[in-house]
Amino acid sequence: MAKRTLRVGYPGNYREIEVDSPDAEPAPWDADSKLAVVGKRSPRLEGADKVTGKAKYTADVKLQGMLVARVLRSPYARATARSIGLAKALKMPGVKAAIEVEKEARYHGQAIAAVAAETEAQAEDAVAAIEVDWAVGEHVVDVEAARKPNAPRVHGGKNPNERGGEAQNTATEEACVTALKKSHATVDITFTTPVVTHSCLESHGSVARWESDGSLTVWDSTQSIFGVRDGLARGFQLPAEKVRVVKEHMGGGFGSKLGMGQHSMIAARLAREAKAPVKLMLTRKEEHLAGGNRPSSVQRVRAGADKDGKLTCLWLQSHGTGGINGGANCAGPLMSLYNCPVRRLWHADVITNASPAAAFRAPGHVQGMFALESTMDELAGKLGLDPIEFRKRNDQNEMRQAEYGEGAKMAGWEARAHLPNSGGRHKARGLGVSASIWGGGGAPGAQARCVISRDGAVEIQCGTQDIGTGTRTIIAMIAAEELGLKPEQVLVKLGDTTLPFSHGSGGSMTAPSVTPAVRAATAAARGRVFEACAKSLKADADNLTAKGGNVVAKGGASIPWAEACSKIAGANVSEQATRAQNFRGYKDGTAGCQFAEVEVDLETGHVQVLRVVAVHDCGRVVNPLLAESQINGGIIQGLSYALLEQRILDDATGRMMNANFSDYRIAGPKEIPEISVVLFDVSNGRTNTGVMGIGEPPIVPTPAAIANAVAHAIGKRITDLPITPDKILAALGKK
Amino acid sequence: MKNGEQRIEFTLNGDKTSVTFPTFKTLLEVLREELNLTGTKHGCELGECGACAVLVDGKPVLSCLMLAVEADGTKVTTVEGLADDARLHPLQEAFADCGAAQCGYCTPGFLCTAKALLDKKPDANRREISEALAGNICRCTGYIQIFEAVEQAAAKMAVKK
Ligand code: FES
Ligand code: FES
């Protein structure tokens, strides 16, 4: 390990720290690093492919002799298939394979059987011909009904539907009661949030092909090629090297495509039966029914503050459902954001006959932040304190403190008092704020290889995946920076498990995990080029740098990059590096805050979000164009969650009533506010690049900021998401 | 031609094309499956997401809702036909430059719909743009960069004229 001194912090607030970084790695970038490529707005490298239709998604893969698969799904929320008759289906025209998947159906939409046929229409007909002898059981889909002692047991026997209890190291109820009694102001509010689906535009799907040597190749719309590989290897009891997973482009994931999905297994099983490649893409309906979702929540928050505006107690009692499994805990923000001497959490996951939840962009935090930050506004109101002032008194994070200042200026916070009456007749305006909190520091273990050829060509190989966020471009920028080249001069190979290992793309982990490995590998390969060309420059390899497309010696002599590479003995140099542990740098976690301005139509109850100001930090910003894109997208998903989205299950049948895009509405072009993004560039000294993730932080505060803005506008608080017109009118006493 | 099949002739991305397909197929299916033009995407196949939008005689059409037989004798333009030989259409250039294509899956539909708008109304303002694109869903970008791209393309096209 080498001791290095780094300047860390953010503009206007820097300090020096010493970190231990691996000897083999280049010196970490810090606040003083002058970078030529990193930090610049740079369009996606694959932009041209995406705008011409050339970009290939899993849905577009077409192989010789490929069959199409369709899945029979349970029409019941709870039923047992006494028998599954495939014989008739197998005799249908074009059908090449049919398999049983599962006999116990515990939710509407659970996969029961599947067929592969020459065409989609044939596969659909064959699915309709599968004969199932159903024994329909009792179901429960309502979260409160499922908690009742006499509710049907979702997992049978004596297994309770409710699993939960007190968190560890949590304050006792008595301590909370005492703290609340002594408080100057208290609130006790119950917040509820719905189940929502990821609704990626490209559905989940796989194309599976068995090779003649018994190995398996799968194209998959996934956030984790290695996760799918390992899942399939386990499923078929194959060594991992016998499974190859490929994903070039994908149409969104948002957490629902982390890890292997059942469809991948089904496609591969059918392909083995049929001895032909099989494609299985889920339909939009299947996507809603079985593609994953964000769990619901019921959060009772009891909180208090003293007369100085310091929190005295935060007490969360919550439950929620992620269907047949899946945790619904959403206490993250309440347990970590503010200083508070007495904190208590009791939570239960409630099991219902509904499809299983999946990670969804900032799991738990979106629900939790809505409850916490609504509570903070209510408390501020009772204390007669400005909501930002109240937050600042309880928040130790110096970055967020600075971010509030910046955001408040842009959002016009001082003029806030006049807003409610400024909307004209029948309209009311409001301005709300919320904090954001997330990790996103990345993880060790990601690998990258840099290959530099004699002709000067540079290739980075890394088994990560670009899920639309721009990973390809970021990798090229990091390598280009190291080599003094342009990003488009770097060929990035990713999305294939034959490349060096990388983690799944979730948790805002990709950029912070991958970039340090890319930089280290590139620096090592560059070192080899320097050694090869040092003689021609009559310099020591240690005294060379690469910039502006040249290799430059200390004295000023230089040769073009390609010429330097021509001195390589052999075809190329190749160096691989593995991402090290995070150093103990300046700061872990990211901060942020958002402001939302809304206009509420008092006659119709319609809420239009007019403007969002978003202030976030994510360590070193590699590419502001991509970072802003993540922030815009996160805000709009948050807006959609706050105002529109909810999965509706019918209690009586247990079926989803809105498994499409007209009844399950997500935000479209007409719901879009003006968005102003401020990116805090933070030097954090935690890796050799100092990059952190920004995928999740921007969705965390949006629903809370909108809810606070609505409460400001109409003087009534909606505690139940989504904030639909009927709830506004009811709150105004008009319904 | 087998029983239950149809043959149509139409102009596809400027080329006279004839294709034979099972009669029940939608234009989307024929483009993607018979003609291998996979640039046009499917997000719902129910007319609810706009991913499948193409231009039929210059008008934006959801190809998942149109039977391919109805395309007989028409002029169809897909995302693959927007560029002029190797030169990208200003909308394509702007979508790439502005980061309007994140995962890119919705992009072909947005491009075709936006082209129909700018052909008719080259100076469309933001309200008109969001109105015209109202049937297209994007789950990634938050739409802002899509609006900016359409505006940038419109400005560029105005200068060229
Ligand atoms: S696929 Fe045609 S509108 Fe969605
Ligand atoms: S860019 Fe992914 S859906 Fe629009």
Side-chain angles (χ1 to χ4, degrees), chain A residues 434-471:
Chain A
S434 169
S436 181
I437 182 173
W438 192 252
Q447 300 178 326
R449 190 183 299 131
C450 175
V451 183
I452 300 175
S453 301
R454 286 195 72 171
D455 62 357
V458 179
E459 183 172 306
I460 302 291
Q461 304 169 353
C462 177
T464 184
Q465 47 276 304
D466 190 335
I467 62 172
T469 48
T471 307

mmCIF file of all heavy atoms in Angstrom, chain A residues 434-471:
data_model
loop_
_atom_site.group_PDB
_atom_site.id
_atom_site.type_symbol
_atom_site.label_atom_id
_atom_site.label_comp_id
_atom_site.label_asym_id
_atom_site.label_seq_id
_atom_site.Cartn_x
_atom_site.Cartn_y
_atom_site.Cartn_z
ATOM 1 N N SER A 434 -37.577 17.911 -0.021
ATOM 2 C CA SER A 434 -37.246 16.642 0.640
ATOM 3 C C SER A 434 -35.755 16.387 0.507
ATOM 4 O O SER A 434 -35.128 16.757 -0.490
ATOM 5 C CB SER A 434 -38.000 15.471 0.024
ATOM 6 O OG SER A 434 -37.475 14.232 0.509
ATOM 7 N N ALA A 435 -35.213 15.689 1.489
ATOM 8 C CA ALA A 435 -33.818 15.265 1.446
ATOM 9 C C ALA A 435 -33.697 13.974 0.651
ATOM 10 O O ALA A 435 -34.674 13.267 0.437
ATOM 11 C CB ALA A 435 -33.314 15.026 2.867
ATOM 12 N N SER A 436 -32.479 13.684 0.193
ATOM 13 C CA SER A 436 -32.188 12.386 -0.403
ATOM 14 C C SER A 436 -30.997 11.774 0.310
ATOM 15 O O SER A 436 -30.116 12.497 0.793
ATOM 16 C CB SER A 436 -31.882 12.517 -1.894
ATOM 17 O OG SER A 436 -31.625 11.229 -2.435
ATOM 18 N N ILE A 437 -30.999 10.472 0.372
ATOM 19 C CA ILE A 437 -29.871 9.766 0.989
ATOM 20 C C ILE A 437 -29.713 8.439 0.274
ATOM 21 O O ILE A 437 -30.691 7.794 -0.081
ATOM 22 C CB ILE A 437 -30.140 9.569 2.505
ATOM 23 C CG1 ILE A 437 -28.961 8.882 3.191
ATOM 24 C CG2 ILE A 437 -31.401 8.760 2.763
ATOM 25 C CD1 ILE A 437 -29.120 8.834 4.709
ATOM 26 N N TRP A 438 -28.476 8.050 -0.004
ATOM 27 C CA TRP A 438 -28.204 6.756 -0.633
ATOM 28 C C TRP A 438 -26.717 6.428 -0.479
ATOM 29 O O TRP A 438 -25.929 7.318 -0.178
ATOM 30 C CB TRP A 438 -28.600 6.763 -2.117
ATOM 31 C CG TRP A 438 -28.594 5.373 -2.712
ATOM 32 C CD1 TRP A 438 -27.697 4.864 -3.599
ATOM 33 C CD2 TRP A 438 -29.509 4.315 -2.424
ATOM 34 N NE1 TRP A 438 -28.007 3.554 -3.877
ATOM 35 C CE2 TRP A 438 -29.101 3.192 -3.161
ATOM 36 C CE3 TRP A 438 -30.634 4.197 -1.579
ATOM 37 C CZ2 TRP A 438 -29.764 1.952 -3.104
ATOM 38 C CZ3 TRP A 438 -31.298 2.978 -1.523
ATOM 39 C CH2 TRP A 438 -30.873 1.882 -2.285
ATOM 40 N N GLY A 439 -26.380 5.157 -0.701
ATOM 41 C CA GLY A 439 -24.976 4.720 -0.650
ATOM 42 C C GLY A 439 -24.318 4.951 -1.992
ATOM 43 O O GLY A 439 -24.042 6.067 -2.381
ATOM 44 N N GLY A 440 -24.086 3.872 -2.709
ATOM 45 C CA GLY A 440 -23.558 4.025 -4.071
ATOM 46 C C GLY A 440 -22.061 4.169 -4.143
ATOM 47 O O GLY A 440 -21.535 4.763 -5.083
ATOM 48 N N GLY A 441 -21.342 3.624 -3.145
ATOM 49 C CA GLY A 441 -19.886 3.746 -3.141
ATOM 50 C C GLY A 441 -19.171 2.673 -3.937
ATOM 51 O O GLY A 441 -17.965 2.734 -4.129
ATOM 52 N N GLY A 442 -19.904 1.663 -4.399
ATOM 53 C CA GLY A 442 -19.276 0.614 -5.195
ATOM 54 C C GLY A 442 -18.671 -0.481 -4.341
ATOM 55 O O GLY A 442 -18.613 -0.374 -3.121
ATOM 56 N N ALA A 443 -18.250 -1.551 -5.026
ATOM 57 C CA ALA A 443 -17.744 -2.727 -4.312
ATOM 58 C C ALA A 443 -16.484 -3.237 -4.980
ATOM 59 O O ALA A 443 -16.295 -3.068 -6.182
ATOM 60 C CB ALA A 443 -18.814 -3.811 -4.310
ATOM 61 N N PRO A 444 -15.613 -3.886 -4.185
ATOM 62 C CA PRO A 444 -14.402 -4.467 -4.768
ATOM 63 C C PRO A 444 -14.749 -5.703 -5.603
ATOM 64 O O PRO A 444 -15.836 -6.255 -5.479
ATOM 65 C CB PRO A 444 -13.593 -4.863 -3.536
ATOM 66 C CG PRO A 444 -14.592 -5.056 -2.449
ATOM 67 C CD PRO A 444 -15.713 -4.104 -2.745
ATOM 68 N N GLY A 445 -13.812 -6.110 -6.427
ATOM 69 C CA GLY A 445 -13.964 -7.380 -7.147
ATOM 70 C C GLY A 445 -14.202 -7.239 -8.634
ATOM 71 O O GLY A 445 -13.931 -8.163 -9.396
ATOM 72 N N ALA A 446 -14.706 -6.093 -9.086
ATOM 73 C CA ALA A 446 -14.941 -5.919 -10.523
ATOM 74 C C ALA A 446 -13.597 -5.933 -11.252
ATOM 75 O O ALA A 446 -12.600 -5.409 -10.750
ATOM 76 C CB ALA A 446 -15.657 -4.603 -10.793
ATOM 77 N N GLN A 447 -13.585 -6.549 -12.417
ATOM 78 C CA GLN A 447 -12.338 -6.669 -13.163
ATOM 79 C C GLN A 447 -12.445 -6.013 -14.537
ATOM 80 O O GLN A 447 -13.526 -5.952 -15.109
ATOM 81 C CB GLN A 447 -11.982 -8.146 -13.354
ATOM 82 C CG GLN A 447 -11.813 -8.867 -12.038
ATOM 83 C CD GLN A 447 -11.521 -10.334 -12.229
ATOM 84 O OE1 GLN A 447 -12.013 -10.958 -13.171
ATOM 85 N NE2 GLN A 447 -10.714 -10.890 -11.351
ATOM 86 N N ALA A 448 -11.298 -5.573 -15.038
ATOM 87 C CA ALA A 448 -11.264 -5.022 -16.386
ATOM 88 C C ALA A 448 -9.915 -5.362 -17.009
ATOM 89 O O ALA A 448 -8.923 -5.520 -16.302
ATOM 90 C CB ALA A 448 -11.459 -3.516 -16.353
ATOM 91 N N ARG A 449 -9.918 -5.490 -18.311
ATOM 92 C CA ARG A 449 -8.677 -5.750 -19.032
ATOM 93 C C ARG A 449 -8.514 -4.671 -20.101
ATOM 94 O O ARG A 449 -9.486 -4.268 -20.730
ATOM 95 C CB ARG A 449 -8.747 -7.135 -19.690
ATOM 96 C CG ARG A 449 -7.402 -7.611 -20.259
ATOM 97 C CD ARG A 449 -7.547 -8.964 -20.968
ATOM 98 N NE ARG A 449 -7.992 -10.012 -20.087
ATOM 99 C CZ ARG A 449 -9.003 -10.849 -20.376
ATOM 100 N NH1 ARG A 449 -9.654 -10.746 -21.511
ATOM 101 N NH2 ARG A 449 -9.346 -11.777 -19.519
ATOM 102 N N CYS A 450 -7.293 -4.222 -20.254
ATOM 103 C CA CYS A 450 -7.005 -3.239 -21.297
ATOM 104 C C CYS A 450 -6.027 -3.869 -22.285
ATOM 105 O O CYS A 450 -4.957 -4.338 -21.888
ATOM 106 C CB CYS A 450 -6.398 -1.980 -20.684
ATOM 107 S SG CYS A 450 -5.878 -0.775 -21.925
ATOM 108 N N VAL A 451 -6.410 -3.896 -23.545
ATOM 109 C CA VAL A 451 -5.548 -4.461 -24.582
ATOM 110 C C VAL A 451 -5.175 -3.339 -25.549
ATOM 111 O O VAL A 451 -6.049 -2.693 -26.136
ATOM 112 C CB VAL A 451 -6.261 -5.595 -25.354
ATOM 113 C CG1 VAL A 451 -5.322 -6.213 -26.382
ATOM 114 C CG2 VAL A 451 -6.781 -6.651 -24.395
ATOM 115 N N ILE A 452 -3.885 -3.093 -25.694
ATOM 116 C CA ILE A 452 -3.420 -2.057 -26.621
ATOM 117 C C ILE A 452 -2.622 -2.755 -27.721
ATOM 118 O O ILE A 452 -1.656 -3.480 -27.451
ATOM 119 C CB ILE A 452 -2.554 -1.006 -25.898
ATOM 120 C CG1 ILE A 452 -3.375 -0.329 -24.777
ATOM 121 C CG2 ILE A 452 -2.043 0.044 -26.895
ATOM 122 C CD1 ILE A 452 -2.585 0.640 -23.927
ATOM 123 N N SER A 453 -3.042 -2.547 -28.950
ATOM 124 C CA SER A 453 -2.412 -3.256 -30.072
ATOM 125 C C SER A 453 -1.306 -2.425 -30.702
ATOM 126 O O SER A 453 -1.226 -1.204 -30.482
ATOM 127 C CB SER A 453 -3.454 -3.582 -31.140
ATOM 128 O OG SER A 453 -4.457 -4.371 -30.566
ATOM 129 N N ARG A 454 -0.513 -3.075 -31.496
ATOM 130 C CA ARG A 454 0.616 -2.390 -32.156
ATOM 131 C C ARG A 454 0.170 -1.249 -33.053
ATOM 132 O O ARG A 454 0.915 -0.320 -33.319
ATOM 133 C CB ARG A 454 1.381 -3.391 -33.022
ATOM 134 C CG ARG A 454 2.230 -4.344 -32.220
ATOM 135 C CD ARG A 454 3.195 -5.033 -33.117
ATOM 136 N NE ARG A 454 4.223 -4.099 -33.536
ATOM 137 C CZ ARG A 454 5.302 -4.445 -34.196
ATOM 138 N NH1 ARG A 454 5.485 -5.702 -34.528
ATOM 139 N NH2 ARG A 454 6.211 -3.557 -34.541
ATOM 140 N N ASP A 455 -1.064 -1.341 -33.564
ATOM 141 C CA ASP A 455 -1.542 -0.252 -34.431
ATOM 142 C C ASP A 455 -2.168 0.884 -33.616
ATOM 143 O O ASP A 455 -2.734 1.819 -34.182
ATOM 144 C CB ASP A 455 -2.545 -0.792 -35.455
ATOM 145 C CG ASP A 455 -3.786 -1.370 -34.805
ATOM 146 O OD1 ASP A 455 -3.836 -1.400 -33.548
ATOM 147 O OD2 ASP A 455 -4.701 -1.787 -35.536
ATOM 148 N N GLY A 456 -2.084 0.776 -32.303
ATOM 149 C CA GLY A 456 -2.606 1.860 -31.463
ATOM 150 C C GLY A 456 -4.042 1.669 -31.025
ATOM 151 O O GLY A 456 -4.572 2.470 -30.255
ATOM 152 N N ALA A 457 -4.687 0.608 -31.522
ATOM 153 C CA ALA A 457 -6.080 0.359 -31.132
ATOM 154 C C ALA A 457 -6.147 0.000 -29.651
ATOM 155 O O ALA A 457 -5.290 -0.712 -29.130
ATOM 156 C CB ALA A 457 -6.664 -0.768 -31.970
ATOM 157 N N VAL A 458 -7.178 0.522 -28.980
ATOM 158 C CA VAL A 458 -7.343 0.276 -27.546
ATOM 159 C C VAL A 458 -8.679 -0.414 -27.322
ATOM 160 O O VAL A 458 -9.706 0.031 -27.829
ATOM 161 C CB VAL A 458 -7.327 1.599 -26.751
ATOM 162 C CG1 VAL A 458 -7.521 1.331 -25.262
ATOM 163 C CG2 VAL A 458 -6.037 2.366 -27.005
ATOM 164 N N GLU A 459 -8.623 -1.495 -26.568
ATOM 165 C CA GLU A 459 -9.866 -2.191 -26.253
ATOM 166 C C GLU A 459 -9.954 -2.418 -24.751
ATOM 167 O O GLU A 459 -9.005 -2.875 -24.132
ATOM 168 C CB GLU A 459 -9.887 -3.537 -26.991
ATOM 169 C CG GLU A 459 -11.162 -4.312 -26.792
ATOM 170 C CD GLU A 459 -11.239 -5.546 -27.698
ATOM 171 O OE1 GLU A 459 -11.076 -5.390 -28.931
ATOM 172 O OE2 GLU A 459 -11.443 -6.641 -27.171
ATOM 173 N N ILE A 460 -11.111 -2.066 -24.183
ATOM 174 C CA ILE A 460 -11.355 -2.381 -22.773
ATOM 175 C C ILE A 460 -12.355 -3.520 -22.733
ATOM 176 O O ILE A 460 -13.409 -3.461 -23.370
ATOM 177 C CB ILE A 460 -11.925 -1.173 -22.003
ATOM 178 C CG1 ILE A 460 -10.980 0.027 -22.081
ATOM 179 C CG2 ILE A 460 -12.213 -1.564 -20.557
ATOM 180 C CD1 ILE A 460 -9.686 -0.136 -21.331
ATOM 181 N N GLN A 461 -12.017 -4.546 -21.983
ATOM 182 C CA GLN A 461 -12.905 -5.695 -21.830
ATOM 183 C C GLN A 461 -13.351 -5.759 -20.387
ATOM 184 O O GLN A 461 -12.533 -5.787 -19.479
ATOM 185 C CB GLN A 461 -12.160 -6.978 -22.213
ATOM 186 C CG GLN A 461 -11.582 -6.925 -23.621
ATOM 187 C CD GLN A 461 -10.619 -8.072 -23.906
ATOM 188 O OE1 GLN A 461 -10.272 -8.841 -23.012
ATOM 189 N NE2 GLN A 461 -10.182 -8.176 -25.150
ATOM 190 N N CYS A 462 -14.651 -5.774 -20.188
ATOM 191 C CA CYS A 462 -15.178 -5.758 -18.823
ATOM 192 C C CYS A 462 -16.560 -6.400 -18.845
ATOM 193 O O CYS A 462 -17.430 -5.968 -19.588
ATOM 194 C CB CYS A 462 -15.247 -4.313 -18.328
ATOM 195 S SG CYS A 462 -15.950 -4.153 -16.689
ATOM 196 N N GLY A 463 -16.731 -7.422 -18.021
ATOM 197 C CA GLY A 463 -18.002 -8.155 -18.038
ATOM 198 C C GLY A 463 -19.116 -7.485 -17.260
ATOM 199 O O GLY A 463 -19.934 -8.146 -16.634
ATOM 200 N N THR A 464 -19.170 -6.153 -17.331
ATOM 201 C CA THR A 464 -20.300 -5.450 -16.750
ATOM 202 C C THR A 464 -21.371 -5.363 -17.834
ATOM 203 O O THR A 464 -21.244 -5.977 -18.898
ATOM 204 C CB THR A 464 -19.873 -4.060 -16.249
ATOM 205 O OG1 THR A 464 -20.990 -3.437 -15.598
ATOM 206 C CG2 THR A 464 -19.418 -3.174 -17.403
ATOM 207 N N GLN A 465 -22.428 -4.618 -17.592
ATOM 208 C CA GLN A 465 -23.436 -4.450 -18.619
ATOM 209 C C GLN A 465 -23.888 -2.999 -18.618
ATOM 210 O O GLN A 465 -23.889 -2.342 -17.586
ATOM 211 C CB GLN A 465 -24.634 -5.392 -18.412
ATOM 212 C CG GLN A 465 -25.186 -5.420 -16.981
ATOM 213 C CD GLN A 465 -24.428 -6.381 -16.072
ATOM 214 O OE1 GLN A 465 -24.327 -7.543 -16.391
ATOM 215 N NE2 GLN A 465 -23.901 -5.896 -14.963
ATOM 216 N N ASP A 466 -24.235 -2.514 -19.811
ATOM 217 C CA ASP A 466 -24.770 -1.157 -19.923
ATOM 218 C C ASP A 466 -26.276 -1.291 -19.972
ATOM 219 O O ASP A 466 -26.840 -1.758 -20.955
ATOM 220 C CB ASP A 466 -24.230 -0.479 -21.182
ATOM 221 C CG ASP A 466 -24.563 1.015 -21.211
ATOM 222 O OD1 ASP A 466 -25.563 1.411 -20.567
ATOM 223 O OD2 ASP A 466 -23.836 1.771 -21.874
ATOM 224 N N ILE A 467 -26.946 -0.900 -18.888
ATOM 225 C CA ILE A 467 -28.398 -1.096 -18.841
ATOM 226 C C ILE A 467 -29.135 0.154 -19.340
ATOM 227 O O ILE A 467 -30.315 0.335 -19.068
ATOM 228 C CB ILE A 467 -28.860 -1.512 -17.432
ATOM 229 C CG1 ILE A 467 -28.558 -0.432 -16.387
ATOM 230 C CG2 ILE A 467 -28.184 -2.811 -17.021
ATOM 231 C CD1 ILE A 467 -29.171 -0.730 -15.017
ATOM 232 N N GLY A 468 -28.401 0.975 -20.073
ATOM 233 C CA GLY A 468 -28.997 2.197 -20.605
ATOM 234 C C GLY A 468 -28.421 3.435 -19.941
ATOM 235 O O GLY A 468 -28.604 4.557 -20.395
ATOM 236 N N THR A 469 -27.694 3.207 -18.864
ATOM 237 C CA THR A 469 -27.186 4.310 -18.061
ATOM 238 C C THR A 469 -25.983 5.004 -18.699
ATOM 239 O O THR A 469 -25.690 6.138 -18.380
ATOM 240 C CB THR A 469 -26.763 3.775 -16.691
ATOM 241 O OG1 THR A 469 -25.961 2.604 -16.922
ATOM 242 C CG2 THR A 469 -27.953 3.375 -15.871
ATOM 243 N N GLY A 470 -25.271 4.285 -19.571
ATOM 244 C CA GLY A 470 -24.117 4.887 -20.227
ATOM 245 C C GLY A 470 -22.790 4.294 -19.779
ATOM 246 O O GLY A 470 -21.732 4.919 -19.964
ATOM 247 N N THR A 471 -22.824 3.102 -19.215
ATOM 248 C CA THR A 471 -21.602 2.462 -18.708
ATOM 249 C C THR A 471 -20.515 2.350 -19.779
ATOM 250 O O THR A 471 -19.343 2.618 -19.523
ATOM 251 C CB THR A 471 -21.939 1.062 -18.151
ATOM 252 O OG1 THR A 471 -22.990 1.211 -17.201
ATOM 253 C CG2 THR A 471 -20.742 0.409 -17.494
#
